[in-house]
Amino acid sequence: MLTGGEDGVRQLATSAGSQLTLDAFLRVQDEEPVPAFLHSALCAMSLPTKRPKDETAPIVREDGKYALAINPRPVLQNVDGKSVMRSLGVPYGAYPRVALIYLLSQAVMKQSRDVYLGRNFTEWMRRLGYQTVSYGPRGTANLMREQVDRLLACEWQIRWDGTEAGDNAFAVRDVKISNEYAGSLDKNGSFAREIRMSEAFYSHLIEHAVPLNEVAIRELKGTPTALDLYTYLAYRLPRIATDKGQVISWDQLAKHLGNEADSKRFRQTVRETMQIVSAVYPNANVDLSGRKVVLHPSPAPLERKLVGPHLRLVGAATPEPAPRSSVKPRREANPTATKAGEPLLAFPAGSLAYGAREAQFRQIGLSKGHPWSVDDMAAAFRKGCPDINRSRSDTEWLRVWEAFVVAYADRRANRNDD
């Protein structure tokens, strides 16, 4: 505030937030989508985001036609040389969500109840996207191990009324993900390299698996609300049949996401989280700006195939200039208003190969993005830039565009080197 004034502070905050989101968007767009899967009921109803006050009490989630119960059953453990039955508690946070998606994805893709984890826990953690694996009481490895043990010791009950398009009513009672699981360590203390999924859960999973993008999961793996919002939208949006969309309350969304924060804080968290979710799922058409949540029909996040040198959406409508943001852009009182003497304009539409105004953007693309196509970069920018519908001065557009082009070229070059 002392050196740049209010405009300087706003510009710095916008720059910092946009760059993080752009980086996530680039990483997802630069990699070919990798299939991942989650049971539809677990997309609609989530685990707790934080440690419950009573960890041993069953968790029940219900919203009319959906119901999910997670019951932490006691397991046999050795405590001070004696065998005792002890409840590990319910799973919570980001770790069990990431592990659950991995386990179910492997079962679906390999069409097998036997899921291989890895030669050791470090290798498995890296398979999950954790490049830095630490040990010790609060190390990532031990935190993950604790949550996986909780996850696989629980019994699950699922009720589904099946009123959605393409979904049949069903109920799953008192099943475990793995009946034979006895902990992440074998009797001799070594890592359990493989688990066998219970037949009941596996057969039901095959019928009700929702496709996700593993690349997006890696970007969101540190935040349980981001994972929940992504998986919920990946299940829900492609199933909306009406162009008018569907309206749900914020309280309903909180039940789906397993978040027990107060209403005002929950809304703020979801609106902030949607920025990163929009970056990894740019076709998600959601309006979180009002008193109700409006869900619009959208393509699934994995509806892609390789067409020539580029990945393009399959069966999607013609893309608009930008992904729809979770938060409506702030409306300018006067669209022709000026800031620092410059008009506030939209990002150039169409090809950057022609036009006087386009020349500035074209020059940055040619000099900073060589040898990549300027128009290909512009198309990616329009598709993934947060708040691209917002009017900005050309000075601001050029700054954001240059940061995008540099990051785009670097990532493409590194990908080719690999």
Side-chain angles (χ1 to χ4, degrees):
M1 288 291 289
L2 291 174
T3 58
E6 182 178 347
D7 286 345
V9 172
R10 289 185 181 277
Q11 185 175 8
L12 179 61
T14 300
S15 174
S18 296
Q19 191 60 53
L20 290 173
T21 308
L22 284 174
D23 284 345
F25 167 76
L26 277 170
R27 283 190 289 268
V28 172
Q29 293 299 314
D30 282 354
E31 291 191 45
E32 184 173 352
V34 178
F37 297 91
L38 186 62
H39 194 294
S40 57
L42 300 176
C43 290
M45 290 288 173
S46 301
L47 302 172
T49 56
K50 295 182 179 180
R51 184 192 295 268
K53 292 180 180 179
D54 184 354
E55 299 179 59
T56 62
I59 295 293
V60 179
R61 304 249 183 258
E62 186 172 11
D63 180 27
K65 55 199 171 194
Y66 311 106
L68 171 68
I70 308 169
N71 189 14
R73 305 296 296 176
V75 297
L76 187 64
Q77 289 192 321
N78 188 305
V79 179
D80 297 329
K82 295 182 180 180
S83 295
V84 296
M85 295 294 290
R86 177 185 169 205
S87 174
L88 303 180
V90 295
Y92 62 89
Y95 287 116
R97 287 164 165 82
V98 175
L100 186 60
I101 292 171
Y102 175 86
L103 295 173
L104 304 195
S105 300
Q106 291 296 305
V108 172
M109 289 189 292
K110 298 185 182 302
Q111 294 290 292
S112 172
R113 293 168 54 199
D114 296 316
V115 178
Y116 177 72
L117 304 182
R119 292 172 299 177
N120 51 57
F121 208 85
T122 298
E123 179 180 293
W124 186 53
M125 289 284 287
R126 287 180 176 153
R127 283 171 177 256
L128 297 177
Y130 298 91
Q131 296 307 311
T132 302
V133 182
S134 58
Y135 288 82
R138 302 302 298 170
T140 55
N142 284 332
L143 292 175
M144 174 64 81
R145 179 180 288 124
E146 175 192 351
Q147 292 299 327
V148 170
D149 286 347
R150 288 172 177 240
L151 180 74
L152 297 180
C154 288
E155 281 186 346
W156 304 71
Q157 291 188 32
I158 302 169
R159 179 182 58 78
W160 195 279
D161 288 350
T163 55
E164 304 299 337
D167 282 335
N168 297 319
F170 64 80
V172 180
R173 292 186 57 83
D174 302 327
V175 298
K176 285 189 174 184
I177 296 176
S178 174
N179 287 335
E180 303 171 13
Y181 186 77
S184 54
L185 299 179
D186 286 336
K187 292 180 180 179
N188 60 4
S190 62
F191 175 59
R193 300 180 181 182
E194 187 176 276
I195 70 164
R196 169 163 287 189
M197 192 167 289
S198 69
E199 187 171 356
F201 192 91
Y202 170 75
S203 61
H204 208 266
L205 166 66
I206 296 301
E207 295 178 7
H208 299 278
V210 174
L212 310 170
N213 185 353
E214 181 185 304
V215 183
I217 298 299
R218 290 202 300 266
E219 289 297 318
L220 306 176
K221 67 181 182 297
T223 309
T225 299
L227 289 166
D228 290 346
L229 190 56
Y230 172 79
T231 54
Y232 174 68
L233 296 178
Y235 163 73
R236 192 70 194 85
L237 298 184
R239 287 167 170 76
I240 297 176
T242 172
D243 291 339
K244 294 181 180 179
Q246 183 182 26
V247 178
I248 64 173
S249 70
W250 282 96
D251 286 343
Q252 284 177 300
L253 184 62
K255 290 178 182 178
H256 287 297
L257 302 189
N259 193 305
E260 299 178 355
D262 65 81
S263 179
K264 183 177 180 180
R265 183 179 176 186
F266 173 71
R267 295 185 190 195
Q268 180 182 354
T269 298
V270 171
R271 284 167 174 156
E272 292 173 352
T273 302
M274 189 62 200
Q275 298 301 323
I276 189 68
V277 173
S278 294
V280 302
Y281 185 5
N283 290 289
N285 187 352
V286 184
D287 183 0
L288 301 174
S289 61
R291 294 183 178 181
K292 298 284 187 178
V293 176
V294 186
L295 308 174
H296 297 280
S298 307
L302 204 68
E303 285 189 356
R304 297 174 182 271
K305 71 177 181 180
L306 200 60
V307 181
H310 305 293
L311 286 168
R312 302 195 185 281
L313 287 172
V314 177
T318 302
E320 300 194 14
R324 298 186 186 270
S325 172
S326 60
V327 183
K328 288 183 178 178
R330 179 171 55 87
R331 295 182 178 179
E332 305 291 344
N334 178 2
T336 61
T338 61
K339 183 182 289 185
E342 291 187 69
L344 300 180
L345 305 169
F347 185 77
S351 173
L352 297 183
Y354 309 97
R357 181 186 175 216
E358 288 78 2
Q360 302 176 80
F361 296 88
R362 180 170 64 252
Q363 183 56 40
I364 289 175
L366 292 172
S367 61
K368 305 287 187 180
H370 180 79
W372 312 107
S373 163
V374 175
D375 280 343
D376 283 350
M377 288 188 286
F381 182 73
R382 293 185 187 105
K383 184 178 176 184
C385 177
D387 294 334
I388 197 168
N389 290 328
R390 174 184 155 202
S391 297
R392 309 170 189 251
S393 68
D394 266 356
T395 298
E396 188 172 356
W397 274 126
L398 290 167
R399 176 184 57 77
V400 178
W401 166 246
E402 181 173 350
F404 175 89
V405 168
V406 170
Y408 183 101
D410 285 346
R411 295 190 188 286
R412 289 288 181 179
N414 290 336
R415 186 179 177 189
N416 284 353
D417 289 342
D418 294 339

